[in-house]
mmCIF file of all heavy atoms in Angstrom:
data_model
loop_
_atom_site.group_PDB
_atom_site.id
_atom_site.type_symbol
_atom_site.label_atom_id
_atom_site.label_comp_id
_atom_site.label_asym_id
_atom_site.label_seq_id
_atom_site.Cartn_x
_atom_site.Cartn_y
_atom_site.Cartn_z
ATOM 1 N N CYS N 27 -30.651 -6.456 -2.278
ATOM 2 C CA CYS N 27 -30.070 -6.225 -3.551
ATOM 3 C C CYS N 27 -29.222 -7.453 -3.980
ATOM 4 O O CYS N 27 -28.708 -7.454 -5.093
ATOM 5 C CB CYS N 27 -29.155 -5.031 -3.436
ATOM 6 S SG CYS N 27 -27.602 -5.276 -2.487
ATOM 7 N N THR N 29 -26.203 -8.427 -2.806
ATOM 8 C CA THR N 29 -24.869 -8.373 -2.496
ATOM 9 C C THR N 29 -24.419 -9.347 -1.523
ATOM 10 O O THR N 29 -25.057 -9.633 -0.472
ATOM 11 C CB THR N 29 -24.509 -6.911 -2.062
ATOM 12 O OG1 THR N 29 -24.612 -5.976 -3.135
ATOM 13 C CG2 THR N 29 -23.106 -6.763 -1.464
ATOM 14 N N VAL N 30 -23.221 -9.900 -1.791
ATOM 15 C CA VAL N 30 -22.690 -11.018 -0.937
ATOM 16 C C VAL N 30 -21.442 -10.527 -0.177
ATOM 17 O O VAL N 30 -20.745 -9.610 -0.743
ATOM 18 C CB VAL N 30 -22.369 -12.265 -1.807
ATOM 19 C CG1 VAL N 30 -21.625 -13.248 -0.875
ATOM 20 C CG2 VAL N 30 -23.599 -12.897 -2.476
ATOM 21 N N PHE N 32 -18.083 -11.740 2.357
ATOM 22 C CA PHE N 32 -17.328 -12.717 3.155
ATOM 23 C C PHE N 32 -16.182 -12.010 3.717
ATOM 24 O O PHE N 32 -15.470 -11.276 3.064
ATOM 25 C CB PHE N 32 -16.866 -13.885 2.231
ATOM 26 C CG PHE N 32 -15.968 -14.809 3.016
ATOM 27 C CD1 PHE N 32 -16.614 -15.750 3.808
ATOM 28 C CD2 PHE N 32 -14.593 -14.660 3.077
ATOM 29 C CE1 PHE N 32 -15.816 -16.620 4.615
ATOM 30 C CE2 PHE N 32 -13.877 -15.573 3.930
ATOM 31 C CZ PHE N 32 -14.419 -16.501 4.559
ATOM 32 N N ASN N 41 -23.545 -2.260 -0.132
ATOM 33 C CA ASN N 41 -23.920 -1.592 -1.456
ATOM 34 C C ASN N 41 -24.298 -0.130 -1.032
ATOM 35 O O ASN N 41 -25.291 0.010 -0.296
ATOM 36 C CB ASN N 41 -25.079 -2.397 -2.077
ATOM 37 C CG ASN N 41 -25.574 -1.619 -3.348
ATOM 38 O OD1 ASN N 41 -25.165 -0.512 -3.665
ATOM 39 N ND2 ASN N 41 -26.442 -2.320 -4.026
ATOM 40 N N PRO N 42 -23.606 0.829 -1.593
ATOM 41 C CA PRO N 42 -23.906 2.229 -1.108
ATOM 42 C C PRO N 42 -25.272 2.706 -1.483
ATOM 43 O O PRO N 42 -25.787 3.636 -0.854
ATOM 44 C CB PRO N 42 -22.785 3.151 -1.892
ATOM 45 C CG PRO N 42 -22.398 2.241 -3.029
ATOM 46 C CD PRO N 42 -22.548 0.860 -2.540
ATOM 47 N N TRP N 61 -7.925 -16.532 -9.247
ATOM 48 C CA TRP N 61 -7.636 -15.172 -9.675
ATOM 49 C C TRP N 61 -6.253 -14.927 -9.595
ATOM 50 O O TRP N 61 -5.616 -14.252 -10.492
ATOM 51 C CB TRP N 61 -8.401 -14.325 -8.747
ATOM 52 C CG TRP N 61 -8.345 -12.766 -8.967
ATOM 53 C CD1 TRP N 61 -9.125 -12.083 -9.989
ATOM 54 C CD2 TRP N 61 -7.504 -11.857 -8.413
ATOM 55 N NE1 TRP N 61 -8.742 -10.828 -9.834
ATOM 56 C CE2 TRP N 61 -7.724 -10.616 -9.026
ATOM 57 C CE3 TRP N 61 -6.571 -11.854 -7.372
ATOM 58 C CZ2 TRP N 61 -7.137 -9.351 -8.567
ATOM 59 C CZ3 TRP N 61 -5.921 -10.724 -6.986
ATOM 60 C CH2 TRP N 61 -6.175 -9.485 -7.630
ATOM 61 N N SER N 62 -5.587 -15.408 -8.561
ATOM 62 C CA SER N 62 -4.153 -15.429 -8.445
ATOM 63 C C SER N 62 -3.641 -16.290 -7.325
ATOM 64 O O SER N 62 -4.484 -16.808 -6.582
ATOM 65 C CB SER N 62 -3.589 -13.964 -8.157
ATOM 66 O OG SER N 62 -2.192 -13.896 -8.481
ATOM 67 N N TYR N 63 -2.346 -16.524 -7.257
ATOM 68 C CA TYR N 63 -1.813 -17.427 -6.264
ATOM 69 C C TYR N 63 -0.432 -17.072 -5.874
ATOM 70 O O TYR N 63 0.279 -16.369 -6.642
ATOM 71 C CB TYR N 63 -1.919 -18.812 -6.677
ATOM 72 C CG TYR N 63 -1.084 -19.158 -7.923
ATOM 73 C CD1 TYR N 63 0.120 -19.626 -7.886
ATOM 74 C CD2 TYR N 63 -1.683 -18.824 -9.185
ATOM 75 C CE1 TYR N 63 0.915 -19.802 -9.010
ATOM 76 C CE2 TYR N 63 -0.958 -19.022 -10.314
ATOM 77 C CZ TYR N 63 0.399 -19.513 -10.227
ATOM 78 O OH TYR N 63 1.083 -19.747 -11.425
ATOM 79 N N THR N 64 0.029 -17.486 -4.638
ATOM 80 C CA THR N 64 1.447 -17.341 -4.280
ATOM 81 C C THR N 64 1.729 -18.272 -3.175
ATOM 82 O O THR N 64 0.920 -19.188 -2.897
ATOM 83 C CB THR N 64 1.655 -15.897 -3.785
ATOM 84 O OG1 THR N 64 3.063 -15.722 -3.478
ATOM 85 C CG2 THR N 64 0.856 -15.512 -2.476
ATOM 86 N N ASN N 65 2.924 -18.140 -2.526
ATOM 87 C CA ASN N 65 3.228 -18.944 -1.370
ATOM 88 C C ASN N 65 4.035 -18.105 -0.387
ATOM 89 O O ASN N 65 4.391 -17.010 -0.630
ATOM 90 C CB ASN N 65 3.900 -20.196 -1.803
ATOM 91 C CG ASN N 65 5.284 -19.933 -2.454
ATOM 92 O OD1 ASN N 65 5.773 -18.789 -2.578
ATOM 93 N ND2 ASN N 65 5.905 -21.006 -2.868
ATOM 94 N N CYS N 67 7.445 -18.456 1.310
ATOM 95 C CA CYS N 67 8.674 -19.402 1.403
ATOM 96 C C CYS N 67 9.302 -19.421 2.724
ATOM 97 O O CYS N 67 10.010 -20.351 3.022
ATOM 98 C CB CYS N 67 9.601 -18.878 0.280
ATOM 99 S SG CYS N 67 8.967 -18.951 -1.342
ATOM 100 N N TYR N 68 8.991 -18.413 3.584
ATOM 101 C CA TYR N 68 9.556 -18.304 4.967
ATOM 102 C C TYR N 68 8.407 -18.467 5.853
ATOM 103 O O TYR N 68 7.270 -18.057 5.525
ATOM 104 C CB TYR N 68 10.367 -17.046 5.219
ATOM 105 C CG TYR N 68 11.581 -16.917 4.229
ATOM 106 C CD1 TYR N 68 11.589 -16.396 3.089
ATOM 107 C CD2 TYR N 68 12.779 -17.425 4.817
ATOM 108 C CE1 TYR N 68 12.723 -16.374 2.309
ATOM 109 C CE2 TYR N 68 13.926 -17.400 4.088
ATOM 110 C CZ TYR N 68 13.858 -16.852 2.757
ATOM 111 O OH TYR N 68 15.042 -16.771 2.131
ATOM 112 N N TYR N 74 0.558 -16.423 13.216
ATOM 113 C CA TYR N 74 0.578 -17.636 12.499
ATOM 114 C C TYR N 74 1.410 -18.661 13.278
ATOM 115 O O TYR N 74 2.430 -18.244 13.805
ATOM 116 C CB TYR N 74 1.094 -17.472 11.132
ATOM 117 C CG TYR N 74 0.848 -18.713 10.237
ATOM 118 C CD1 TYR N 74 -0.430 -19.005 9.780
ATOM 119 C CD2 TYR N 74 1.913 -19.627 9.924
ATOM 120 C CE1 TYR N 74 -0.686 -20.123 9.056
ATOM 121 C CE2 TYR N 74 1.577 -20.775 9.187
ATOM 122 C CZ TYR N 74 0.351 -20.925 8.709
ATOM 123 O OH TYR N 74 0.116 -22.197 7.869
ATOM 124 N N GLU N 93 -21.319 -15.400 -6.850
ATOM 125 C CA GLU N 93 -21.211 -14.352 -5.773
ATOM 126 C C GLU N 93 -20.479 -13.067 -6.215
ATOM 127 O O GLU N 93 -20.631 -12.007 -5.615
ATOM 128 C CB GLU N 93 -20.544 -14.922 -4.527
ATOM 129 C CG GLU N 93 -21.378 -15.922 -3.797
ATOM 130 C CD GLU N 93 -21.227 -17.287 -4.420
ATOM 131 O OE1 GLU N 93 -20.565 -17.495 -5.393
ATOM 132 O OE2 GLU N 93 -21.926 -18.254 -3.880
ATOM 133 N N GLY N 94 -19.764 -13.241 -7.367
ATOM 134 C CA GLY N 94 -19.057 -12.077 -7.840
ATOM 135 C C GLY N 94 -17.912 -11.566 -6.861
ATOM 136 O O GLY N 94 -17.667 -10.379 -6.647
ATOM 137 N N ILE N 95 -17.374 -12.566 -6.149
ATOM 138 C CA ILE N 95 -16.260 -12.186 -5.145
ATOM 139 C C ILE N 95 -15.094 -13.051 -5.392
ATOM 140 O O ILE N 95 -15.130 -14.147 -5.905
ATOM 141 C CB ILE N 95 -16.681 -12.140 -3.672
ATOM 142 C CG1 ILE N 95 -17.068 -13.532 -3.186
ATOM 143 C CG2 ILE N 95 -17.847 -11.206 -3.435
ATOM 144 C CD1 ILE N 95 -17.332 -13.600 -1.771
ATOM 145 N N VAL N 96 -13.863 -12.601 -4.842
ATOM 146 C CA VAL N 96 -12.705 -13.367 -4.860
ATOM 147 C C VAL N 96 -12.372 -13.643 -3.339
ATOM 148 O O VAL N 96 -12.405 -12.728 -2.562
ATOM 149 C CB VAL N 96 -11.539 -12.553 -5.519
ATOM 150 C CG1 VAL N 96 -10.207 -13.264 -5.302
ATOM 151 C CG2 VAL N 96 -11.798 -12.341 -6.998
ATOM 152 N N LEU N 98 -9.724 -15.455 -0.569
ATOM 153 C CA LEU N 98 -8.358 -15.862 -0.275
ATOM 154 C C LEU N 98 -8.476 -17.043 0.699
ATOM 155 O O LEU N 98 -9.182 -17.050 1.638
ATOM 156 C CB LEU N 98 -7.556 -14.754 0.389
ATOM 157 C CG LEU N 98 -6.029 -14.930 0.516
ATOM 158 C CD1 LEU N 98 -5.332 -15.227 -0.825
ATOM 159 C CD2 LEU N 98 -5.417 -13.707 1.189
ATOM 160 N N GLN N 100 -5.817 -20.650 2.166
ATOM 161 C CA GLN N 100 -4.788 -21.659 1.937
ATOM 162 C C GLN N 100 -5.099 -22.660 0.966
ATOM 163 O O GLN N 100 -6.238 -22.941 0.684
ATOM 164 C CB GLN N 100 -4.333 -22.226 3.377
ATOM 165 C CG GLN N 100 -3.643 -21.279 4.294
ATOM 166 C CD GLN N 100 -2.933 -22.126 5.377
ATOM 167 O OE1 GLN N 100 -2.791 -23.292 5.316
ATOM 168 N NE2 GLN N 100 -2.322 -21.358 6.306
ATOM 169 N N ASP N 125 -1.123 -25.943 14.590
ATOM 170 C CA ASP N 125 -1.529 -26.152 15.994
ATOM 171 C C ASP N 125 -2.955 -26.731 16.219
ATOM 172 O O ASP N 125 -3.386 -26.808 17.266
ATOM 173 C CB ASP N 125 -1.456 -24.836 16.756
ATOM 174 C CG ASP N 125 -2.234 -23.750 16.209
ATOM 175 O OD1 ASP N 125 -2.485 -23.745 14.948
ATOM 176 O OD2 ASP N 125 -2.682 -22.731 16.949
ATOM 177 N N PHE C 132 -2.993 -13.018 9.278
ATOM 178 C CA PHE C 132 -1.829 -13.842 9.689
ATOM 179 C C PHE C 132 -2.201 -15.105 10.415
ATOM 180 O O PHE C 132 -1.684 -16.168 10.119
ATOM 181 C CB PHE C 132 -0.935 -12.942 10.606
ATOM 182 C CG PHE C 132 -0.185 -11.833 9.851
ATOM 183 C CD1 PHE C 132 -0.750 -10.582 9.748
ATOM 184 C CD2 PHE C 132 1.078 -12.108 9.375
ATOM 185 C CE1 PHE C 132 0.013 -9.552 9.115
ATOM 186 C CE2 PHE C 132 1.849 -11.141 8.726
ATOM 187 C CZ PHE C 132 1.270 -9.862 8.610
ATOM 188 N N ARG C 133 -3.099 -15.024 11.345
ATOM 189 C CA ARG C 133 -3.451 -16.123 12.096
ATOM 190 C C ARG C 133 -4.025 -17.350 11.272
ATOM 191 O O ARG C 133 -3.683 -18.459 11.488
ATOM 192 C CB ARG C 133 -4.519 -15.687 13.244
ATOM 193 C CG ARG C 133 -5.124 -16.895 14.040
ATOM 194 C CD ARG C 133 -4.127 -17.589 14.903
ATOM 195 N NE ARG C 133 -4.607 -18.824 15.545
ATOM 196 C CZ ARG C 133 -4.103 -20.014 15.308
ATOM 197 N NH1 ARG C 133 -3.041 -20.214 14.392
ATOM 198 N NH2 ARG C 133 -4.652 -21.121 15.916
ATOM 199 N N LEU C 135 -4.322 -17.567 7.754
ATOM 200 C CA LEU C 135 -3.728 -17.865 6.466
ATOM 201 C C LEU C 135 -2.219 -17.708 6.440
ATOM 202 O O LEU C 135 -1.648 -18.219 5.419
ATOM 203 C CB LEU C 135 -4.347 -16.930 5.339
ATOM 204 C CG LEU C 135 -5.884 -16.847 5.296
ATOM 205 C CD1 LEU C 135 -6.292 -16.032 4.199
ATOM 206 C CD2 LEU C 135 -6.391 -18.287 5.018
ATOM 207 N N GLY C 136 -1.649 -17.059 7.236
ATOM 208 C CA GLY C 136 -0.162 -16.762 7.109
ATOM 209 C C GLY C 136 0.084 -15.816 5.933
ATOM 210 O O GLY C 136 1.052 -15.891 5.369
ATOM 211 N N ALA C 144 2.558 -10.349 -4.143
ATOM 212 C CA ALA C 144 2.892 -11.480 -5.051
ATOM 213 C C ALA C 144 1.593 -11.875 -5.794
ATOM 214 O O ALA C 144 1.674 -12.269 -6.987
ATOM 215 C CB ALA C 144 3.348 -12.669 -4.292
ATOM 216 N N LEU C 145 0.444 -11.806 -5.117
ATOM 217 C CA LEU C 145 -0.864 -12.102 -5.838
ATOM 218 C C LEU C 145 -1.025 -11.063 -7.135
ATOM 219 O O LEU C 145 -1.336 -11.496 -8.259
ATOM 220 C CB LEU C 145 -2.041 -11.939 -4.964
ATOM 221 C CG LEU C 145 -2.218 -13.059 -3.788
ATOM 222 C CD1 LEU C 145 -3.358 -12.529 -2.849
ATOM 223 C CD2 LEU C 145 -2.393 -14.370 -4.463
ATOM 224 N N ARG C 148 1.673 -12.067 -9.757
ATOM 225 C CA ARG C 148 1.385 -13.216 -10.550
ATOM 226 C C ARG C 148 0.259 -12.978 -11.487
ATOM 227 O O ARG C 148 0.262 -13.472 -12.654
ATOM 228 C CB ARG C 148 1.024 -14.400 -9.576
ATOM 229 C CG ARG C 148 0.356 -15.695 -10.198
ATOM 230 C CD ARG C 148 1.394 -16.270 -11.132
ATOM 231 N NE ARG C 148 2.613 -16.773 -10.417
ATOM 232 C CZ ARG C 148 3.573 -17.268 -11.116
ATOM 233 N NH1 ARG C 148 3.603 -17.347 -12.394
ATOM 234 N NH2 ARG C 148 4.758 -17.687 -10.435
ATOM 235 N N ARG C 149 -0.743 -12.221 -11.082
ATOM 236 C CA ARG C 149 -1.841 -11.884 -11.961
ATOM 237 C C ARG C 149 -1.312 -11.067 -13.206
ATOM 238 O O ARG C 149 -1.789 -11.255 -14.249
ATOM 239 C CB ARG C 149 -2.876 -11.112 -11.139
ATOM 240 C CG ARG C 149 -4.138 -10.762 -11.979
ATOM 241 C CD ARG C 149 -5.428 -10.991 -11.249
ATOM 242 N NE ARG C 149 -6.548 -10.611 -12.154
ATOM 243 C CZ ARG C 149 -7.309 -11.482 -12.815
ATOM 244 N NH1 ARG C 149 -7.121 -12.823 -12.665
ATOM 245 N NH2 ARG C 149 -8.304 -11.062 -13.550
ATOM 246 N N PRO C 193 16.758 -14.745 -2.700
ATOM 247 C CA PRO C 193 15.831 -15.896 -2.354
ATOM 248 C C PRO C 193 14.342 -15.500 -2.677
ATOM 249 O O PRO C 193 13.968 -14.327 -2.567
ATOM 250 C CB PRO C 193 16.042 -16.024 -0.795
ATOM 251 C CG PRO C 193 17.080 -15.013 -0.496
ATOM 252 C CD PRO C 193 17.485 -14.170 -1.591
ATOM 253 N N MET C 194 13.720 -16.504 -3.071
ATOM 254 C CA MET C 194 12.202 -16.376 -3.327
ATOM 255 C C MET C 194 11.555 -16.219 -1.993
ATOM 256 O O MET C 194 11.780 -16.852 -1.066
ATOM 257 C CB MET C 194 11.737 -17.627 -4.026
ATOM 258 C CG MET C 194 10.283 -17.492 -4.586
ATOM 259 S SD MET C 194 10.194 -16.375 -6.026
ATOM 260 C CE MET C 194 10.567 -17.530 -7.322
ATOM 261 N N VAL C 195 10.731 -15.168 -1.921
ATOM 262 C CA VAL C 195 10.002 -14.870 -0.625
ATOM 263 C C VAL C 195 8.554 -15.231 -0.760
ATOM 264 O O VAL C 195 7.984 -16.012 0.012
ATOM 265 C CB VAL C 195 10.131 -13.356 -0.229
ATOM 266 C CG1 VAL C 195 9.091 -13.011 0.923
ATOM 267 C CG2 VAL C 195 11.515 -13.085 0.117
ATOM 268 N N ALA C 196 7.874 -14.669 -1.791
ATOM 269 C CA ALA C 196 6.435 -15.008 -2.079
ATOM 270 C C ALA C 196 6.375 -15.125 -3.569
ATOM 271 O O ALA C 196 6.409 -14.140 -4.239
ATOM 272 C CB ALA C 196 5.460 -13.948 -1.545
ATOM 273 N N ASP C 197 6.335 -16.381 -4.060
ATOM 274 C CA ASP C 197 6.399 -16.621 -5.536
ATOM 275 C C ASP C 197 5.426 -15.781 -6.269
ATOM 276 O O ASP C 197 4.254 -15.749 -5.838
ATOM 277 C CB ASP C 197 6.076 -18.150 -5.772
ATOM 278 C CG ASP C 197 6.359 -18.518 -7.178
ATOM 279 O OD1 ASP C 197 5.550 -18.220 -7.995
ATOM 280 O OD2 ASP C 197 7.422 -19.150 -7.463
ATOM 281 N N PHE C 252 -9.923 -10.584 3.297
ATOM 282 C CA PHE C 252 -10.067 -11.979 2.874
ATOM 283 C C PHE C 252 -10.722 -12.160 1.618
ATOM 284 O O PHE C 252 -10.678 -13.130 0.955
ATOM 285 C CB PHE C 252 -10.855 -12.764 4.053
ATOM 286 C CG PHE C 252 -9.995 -12.979 5.331
ATOM 287 C CD1 PHE C 252 -9.916 -11.991 6.323
ATOM 288 C CD2 PHE C 252 -9.332 -14.122 5.440
ATOM 289 C CE1 PHE C 252 -9.181 -12.201 7.438
ATOM 290 C CE2 PHE C 252 -8.582 -14.344 6.670
ATOM 291 C CZ PHE C 252 -8.490 -13.316 7.522
ATOM 292 N N ALA C 253 -11.431 -11.093 1.187
ATOM 293 C CA ALA C 253 -12.292 -11.223 0.002
ATOM 294 C C ALA C 253 -12.453 -9.777 -0.568
ATOM 295 O O ALA C 253 -12.264 -8.850 0.002
ATOM 296 C CB ALA C 253 -13.627 -11.856 0.260
ATOM 297 N N THR C 254 -12.839 -9.797 -1.852
ATOM 298 C CA THR C 254 -13.188 -8.591 -2.538
ATOM 299 C C THR C 254 -14.660 -8.152 -2.193
ATOM 300 O O THR C 254 -15.376 -8.963 -1.652
ATOM 301 C CB THR C 254 -13.058 -8.741 -4.034
ATOM 302 O OG1 THR C 254 -13.959 -9.663 -4.461
ATOM 303 C CG2 THR C 254 -11.688 -9.051 -4.450
ATOM 304 N N ASP C 255 -15.029 -7.003 -2.585
ATOM 305 C CA ASP C 255 -16.553 -6.746 -2.638
ATOM 306 C C ASP C 255 -17.135 -7.618 -3.624
ATOM 307 O O ASP C 255 -16.483 -8.150 -4.594
ATOM 308 C CB ASP C 255 -16.769 -5.206 -3.037
ATOM 309 C CG ASP C 255 -16.259 -4.275 -2.035
ATOM 310 O OD1 ASP C 255 -16.197 -4.529 -0.817
ATOM 311 O OD2 ASP C 255 -16.054 -3.051 -2.428
ATOM 312 N N SER C 256 -18.493 -7.769 -3.527
ATOM 313 C CA SER C 256 -19.312 -8.591 -4.492
ATOM 314 C C SER C 256 -19.741 -7.790 -5.577
ATOM 315 O O SER C 256 -20.314 -6.640 -5.341
ATOM 316 C CB SER C 256 -20.449 -9.120 -3.769
ATOM 317 O OG SER C 256 -21.409 -9.591 -4.574
ATOM 318 N N SER C 257 -19.646 -8.239 -6.760
ATOM 319 C CA SER C 257 -20.197 -7.604 -7.965
ATOM 320 C C SER C 257 -21.498 -8.226 -8.415
ATOM 321 O O SER C 257 -21.899 -8.112 -9.516
ATOM 322 C CB SER C 257 -19.159 -7.530 -9.124
ATOM 323 O OG SER C 257 -18.746 -8.850 -9.485
ATOM 324 N N ALA C 259 -24.532 -7.676 -7.362
ATOM 325 C CA ALA C 259 -25.685 -6.785 -7.478
ATOM 326 C C ALA C 259 -25.330 -5.550 -8.338
ATOM 327 O O ALA C 259 -26.131 -4.986 -8.963
ATOM 328 C CB ALA C 259 -26.120 -6.390 -6.138
#
Side-chain angles (χ1 to χ4, degrees):
Chain N
C27 74
T29 288
V30 174
F32 178 82
N41 173 355
W61 182 83
S62 193
Y63 59 95
T64 184
N65 63 3
C67 299
Y68 294 89
Y74 192 73
E93 290 81 2
I95 64 172
V96 172
L98 188 60
Q100 286 196 6
D125 55 334
Chain C
F132 283 92
R133 171 65 188 119
L135 305 180
L145 290 172
R148 172 59 65 186
R149 182 140 177 100
M194 192 71 86
V195 170
D197 189 284
F252 287 85
T254 61
D255 289 339
S256 159
S257 59

